[in-house]
Each structure stands twice: as structure tokens, then as C-alpha cells.
């Protein structure tokens, strides 16, 4: 007796993507990513949030905050995100990634592999970020306890032409995530 596949089951092919959310510390990158992740999961998508702090703890432990170390960190995260994206996972990456050349290297890696890549600039102004100060970094920097804070005494190179620019100070987290979800839907990635 020969068996045939059940024709009532459809094969679901999932398109993965990397959604890189870049911006200053306390801009709202992780908050937006987590809100979007919940929505995508409710729709049945495979999603991972590659939080910059967690990556530094588990994958990039030992790296400092020099330009070279930051570039290495971004490349590692980019590799992991691209690997997930190629395998049908939407990788949401809320990482500062302050240097344009590092972000461009990640984009290029995705292009070479054919994995979808979306760059989102969470363009929250420095004064708003310093008031939010989620991790107390701005307060530590102002007190002289911290140097090398991105956007204050270390550079942040603003993306010239991101796929989306979100000004989180003008909308709720849910609204920011909805705008990003709409872009992903338009591109066939959600």
C-alpha cells in the first residue's frame, strides 16, 4: 500500500527578516521591538528579540566599547540575525549600533544571503532620551561616573536613509509598533 501526503494540509513557508532598530540609549528600541514581537507572535510568526544588553552578556562578553569592539559586537549580532532570518524567523534587533559602516556591513551580509533586512531609526531626541534614562546611563554620565555614552560623549551616526524613521516621542509604543508592522506587511514580511 502506497501512502500519499495529506492534501488537506498546506505547506506554510515562512519568510524571515531582520528588523534592526537603531537609536540612542533610551530611545525606545527594545520597548517597540517587544511590542511588535507580541503582535507578530499572535499572528503565528516565529520571532526572536536580540536585545543588545543580553547579546553583550552572553555572546559578546569581554568586549568593551571602543569603536573596534562595537563593530565586532554589531557584526556578531548581524550574523545571528541573518542566520535566524534565513531560517524563517523574524529577528527584531534593538541595538544602538552607533556607526554607519557597521550597520552597512550587516545590511550587505543580508543582501548577499538573500535575507530580508529592514533598518529602523528610532529617532528620539537626546533630551527626551535623557529624561527617560531607563538604565540611569545619562545620570551616571552627568555625574562623571560614565564616559563614552553614545550620543553624548561618543558619536552616534544617524542613518541617512533608513527604511523607516520613528519619532517615538510623538506616539505611543503601540502606535510605533503598528507603523513598523504596517511596513513589514507592505513588504510581505508580516
Amino acid at each position: 500500500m502506497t501512502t500519499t501526503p495529506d492534501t488537506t494540509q498546506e505547506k506554510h513557508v515562512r519568510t524571515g527578516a531582520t528588523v534592526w532598530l537603531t537609536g540612542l540609549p533610551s530611545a525606545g528600541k527594545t520597548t517597540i521591538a517587544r511590542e511588535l514581537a507580541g503582535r507578530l507572535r499572535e499572528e503565528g510568526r516565529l520571532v526572536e528579540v536580540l536585545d543588545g544588553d543580553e547579546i553583550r552578556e552572553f555572546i559578546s562578553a569581554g568586549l568593551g566599547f571602543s569603536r573596534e569592539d562595537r563593530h565586532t559586537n554589531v557584526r556578531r549580532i548581524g550574523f545571528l540575525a541573518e542566520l535566524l532570518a534565513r531560517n524563517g524567523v523574524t529577528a527584531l534587533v534593538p541595538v544602538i549600533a552607533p556607526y554607519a559602516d557597521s550597520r552597512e556591513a550587516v545590511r550587505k551580509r543580508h543582501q548577499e544571503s538573500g535575507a530580508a533586512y529592514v533598518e529602523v531609526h528610532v529617532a528620539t531626541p537626546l533630551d527626551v532620551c535623557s529624561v527617560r534614562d531607563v538604565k540611569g546611563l545619562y545620570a551616571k554620565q552627568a555625574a562623571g561616573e560614565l564616559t563614552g555614552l553614545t550620543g553624548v560623549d561618543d558619536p552616534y551616526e544617524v542613518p541617512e536613509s533608513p527604511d523607516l524613521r520613528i519619532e517615538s516621542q510623538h506616539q505611543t509604543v503601540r502606535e510605533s509598533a503598528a507603523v513598523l508592522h504596517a511596513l513589514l506587511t507592505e513588504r510581505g514580511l508580516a
Side-chain angles (χ1 to χ4, degrees):
M1 178 176 196
T2 306
T3 59
T4 58
D6 184 359
T7 56
T8 61
Q9 292 183 355
E10 292 181 31
K11 236 186 191 180
H12 293 285
V13 177
R14 298 284 183 177
T15 301
T18 294
V19 181
W20 197 285
L21 296 95
T22 179
L24 296 173
S26 297
K29 302 176 299 296
T30 301
T31 306
I32 293 167
R34 293 198 189 287
E35 176 73 22
L36 179 60
R39 182 170 179 178
L40 291 171
R41 285 184 183 117
E42 286 174 4
E43 295 172 354
R45 301 285 305 180
L46 298 173
V47 180
E48 289 296 333
V49 177
L50 303 180
D51 179 76
D53 292 333
E54 293 172 356
I55 296 291
R56 274 202 174 268
E57 181 180 353
F58 296 106
I59 295 178
S60 294
L63 289 179
F65 291 90
S66 69
R67 183 180 181 103
E68 182 179 324
D69 283 355
R70 288 178 190 240
H71 182 69
T72 298
N73 186 48
V74 168
R75 284 186 31 237
R76 287 178 182 176
I77 298 168
F79 168 78
L80 183 55
E82 186 263 335
L83 182 66
L84 289 168
R86 276 192 292 122
N87 286 281
V89 177
T90 300
L92 304 177
V93 187
V95 175
I96 295 169
Y99 303 112
D101 60 340
S102 297
R103 295 188 305 264
E104 186 54 36
V106 171
R107 179 186 297 275
K108 184 177 180 184
R109 176 177 184 84
H110 280 72
Q111 287 172 338
E112 289 170 356
S113 75
Y117 180 84
V118 177
E119 184 179 75
V120 179
H121 178 211
V122 182
T124 310
L126 181 62
D127 61 327
V128 174
C129 293
S130 65
V131 169
R132 289 179 181 171
D133 203 10
V134 177
K135 299 173 196 165
L137 299 175
Y138 294 96
K140 287 180 182 177
Q141 192 276 335
E145 300 169 14
L146 176 73
T147 59
L149 182 58
T150 302
V152 178
D153 58 355
D154 209 52
Y156 176 75
E157 298 171 357
V158 175
E160 291 181 18
S161 55
D163 297 288
L164 179 65
R165 196 174 310 275
I166 294 174
E167 295 183 2
S168 69
Q169 73 278 14
H170 297 306
Q171 56 196 24
T172 66
V173 172
R174 180 171 278 168
E175 290 168 339
S176 294
V179 169
L180 181 46
H181 186 272
L183 175 65
L184 296 177
T185 300
E186 176 185 303
R187 294 189 178 183
L189 303 172

